[in-house]
Amino acid sequence: MRKRIFLLFFMLMISSVFSQTKHMKLVQPPYLQKGDTIAIVAPAGILKNRKHIIDKAKELAESWGLKVVYGKHMFNQNHHFAGTDEERCQDVQDALDNPNIKAIWSARGGYGSVRILDKLDFTKFKENPKWIIGYSDITAFHNHIHNLGVETMHGMMGTSMQDEIEDIPETIETLRKALFGETLNYTIQSSKYNRIGEVSGEIIGGNIAILASMLGSDSQMSTEGKILFIEEIGEYKYAIDRMLQSLKRAGYFNKLKGVIVGDMTKIKRNTTPWGSSIEQLILDVIPKDIPVMFNFPAGHEPDNRALIMGRTVKLNIDKSSSSVAFTK
């Protein structure tokens, strides 16, 4: 009997610790100041014929008063990737370990980040946190680093500078604001598909395909009490449904506070019509009592507003307009 009581007490203690870990406040890396150095690295896709674009990103950061260094292997080519796994890993590891580097800016996404996550040593990063910046495939880093207890930044990458500066003013300005610690508040016109409500919680998430690929790994996040942001590009509706159904079956949506749906870009047409809108497809997997905001400008469109992943936001969705306000 004593052994059973002790075992039960021990299990309750472990459960309590795990619960506290899930809800602990994340570490906020220091905001940037003029004179700080950032590193541009390519943890995923190849940068063939894009050096001039990355140079424009460097010039942009320098116009903010920052110093910029490039990953040693960034312009290497290894089939689909910007160098071998080992080369891409080394560039990221060097930036993680260097205390003089205050932020790590992804040159592009594509695919490949998941291949190097488990090769990286985050020991020095946890001692000296810094901003990790990117979107799309960089969702793998957002997820993994969230579980290390550190905030990250979902925003434009180096290749975003393929667009003219005057065509992406909000994309650029919101990243600058986020990096330098200025207030982020967004108000957008409501969609007829929205589910109204007012909630607050930590914002997490990113690209749907990458979120689904994290299931069952050390990089899968707890969604309990969180506000989930999702976006996608270049998929058929049935493929998006398959990924969302996988997340649903894993309990991903059950204890959410709210959902923010970003851009659903270049959705492919199947020869057999799907039969519903992409909005309805998403609503079908989200429990009916959870507020949902559609058409938030973040993802693979030119207007890609910065989000601080792991930060508490106040989400207010009504019939006329919706807002997302980040706490300090």
Side-chain angles (χ1 to χ4, degrees):
M1 180 62 71
R2 288 181 179 177
K3 288 183 178 180
R4 288 181 181 179
I5 294 173
F6 175 78
L7 181 60
L8 179 61
F9 176 76
F10 179 74
M11 291 175 68
L12 288 172
M13 287 289 292
I14 293 295
S15 176
S16 175
V17 170
F18 180 69
S19 178
Q20 291 174 22
T21 301
K22 286 194 297 182
H23 298 287
M24 68 181 180
K25 184 176 175 61
L26 271 64
V27 172
Q28 172 188 294
Y31 291 123
L32 299 189
Q33 298 179 1
K34 289 186 177 181
D36 283 345
T37 300
I38 68 171
I40 302 180
V41 300
I46 191 172
L47 288 167
K48 187 175 181 180
N49 300 323
R50 294 191 179 185
K51 185 178 185 302
H52 66 290
I53 298 174
I54 303 304
D55 287 342
K56 287 175 63 178
K58 178 175 181 287
E59 291 169 7
L60 175 67
E62 289 173 341
S63 75
W64 297 340
L66 302 173
K67 299 175 183 177
V68 180
V69 297
Y70 286 169
K72 180 180 178 181
H73 304 99
M74 185 165 63
F75 297 107
N76 287 7
Q77 299 178 19
N78 184 56
H79 304 295
H80 181 91
F81 307 108
T84 64
D85 288 354
E86 289 71 23
E87 289 170 339
R88 301 193 323 280
C89 180
Q90 188 61 61
D91 281 0
V92 176
Q93 190 70 64
D94 289 346
L96 289 172
D97 292 348
N98 187 340
N100 295 319
I101 301 295
K102 304 302 181 184
I104 302 174
W105 194 12
S106 300
R108 67 159 295 187
Y111 169 70
S113 295
V114 69
R115 296 172 61 96
I116 67 172
L117 275 183
D118 294 333
K119 300 177 185 291
L120 293 167
D121 182 349
F122 289 91
T123 302
K124 291 186 178 179
F125 169 79
K126 288 187 286 186
E127 295 171 355
N128 183 35
K130 59 196 70 180
W131 293 107
I132 307 296
I133 311 155
Y135 69 102
S136 191
D137 187 66
I138 309 305
T139 296
F141 279 94
H142 294 313
N143 281 235
H144 194 79
I145 292 172
H146 181 90
N147 287 350
L148 298 179
V150 180
E151 294 179 349
T152 57
M153 209 165 284
H154 187 283
M156 67 176 283
M157 296 184 284
T159 51
S160 300
M161 294 301 290
Q162 64 191 354
D163 295 311
E164 296 299 326
I165 290 178
E166 57 268 23
D167 293 334
I168 53 172
E170 293 287 354
T171 299
I172 291 173
E173 180 61 8
T174 57
L175 178 63
R176 187 198 64 78
K177 284 184 174 182
L179 285 172
F180 286 89
E182 297 181 25
T183 301
L184 290 179
N185 289 319
Y186 300 118
T187 300
I188 65 170
Q189 185 175 351
S190 282
S191 162
K192 66 179 182 179
Y193 291 99
N194 282 358
R195 286 188 191 153
I196 63 174
E198 186 173 352
V199 293
S200 63
E202 286 181 3
I203 186 170
I204 62 170
N207 179 263
I208 297 172
I210 302 301
L211 294 176
S213 74
M214 299 287 105
L215 289 175
S217 74
D218 290 340
S219 304
Q220 178 182 342
M221 296 177 293
S222 167
T223 58
E224 183 178 346
K226 309 292 177 62
I227 293 174
L228 179 67
F229 165 76
I230 55 174
E231 61 85 21
E232 193 51 83
I233 182 173
E235 297 284 358
Y236 291 100
K237 286 182 180 177
Y238 74 80
I240 294 174
D241 185 70
R242 179 172 56 207
M243 293 183 284
L244 290 174
Q245 292 292 340
S246 295
L247 291 165
K248 178 183 177 181
R249 295 186 69 220
Y252 214 77
F253 308 126
N254 291 346
K255 296 183 179 180
L256 287 173
K257 287 278 194 72
V259 176
I260 299 172
V261 182
D263 297 315
M264 294 289 150
T265 301
K266 297 180 181 178
I267 302 303
K268 297 178 182 178
R269 287 181 175 270
N270 196 36
T271 52
T272 303
W274 176 258
S276 76
S277 66
I278 190 69
E279 290 88 352
Q280 190 58 52
L281 183 158
I282 292 168
L283 289 173
D284 286 345
V285 300
I286 307 297
K288 297 189 185 308
D289 60 336
I290 294 176
V292 181
M293 172 198 282
F294 286 95
N295 298 335
F296 186 83
H300 286 80
E301 296 292 337
D303 189 357
N304 182 15
R305 313 284 175 97
L307 301 168
I308 301 176
M309 309 307 279
R311 180 71 57 85
T312 297
V313 300
K314 295 180 179 179
L315 176 61
N316 187 4
I317 308 170
D318 63 29
K319 293 181 179 180
S320 59
S321 66
S322 303
S323 62
V324 179
F326 283 81
T327 61
K328 277 290 189 178

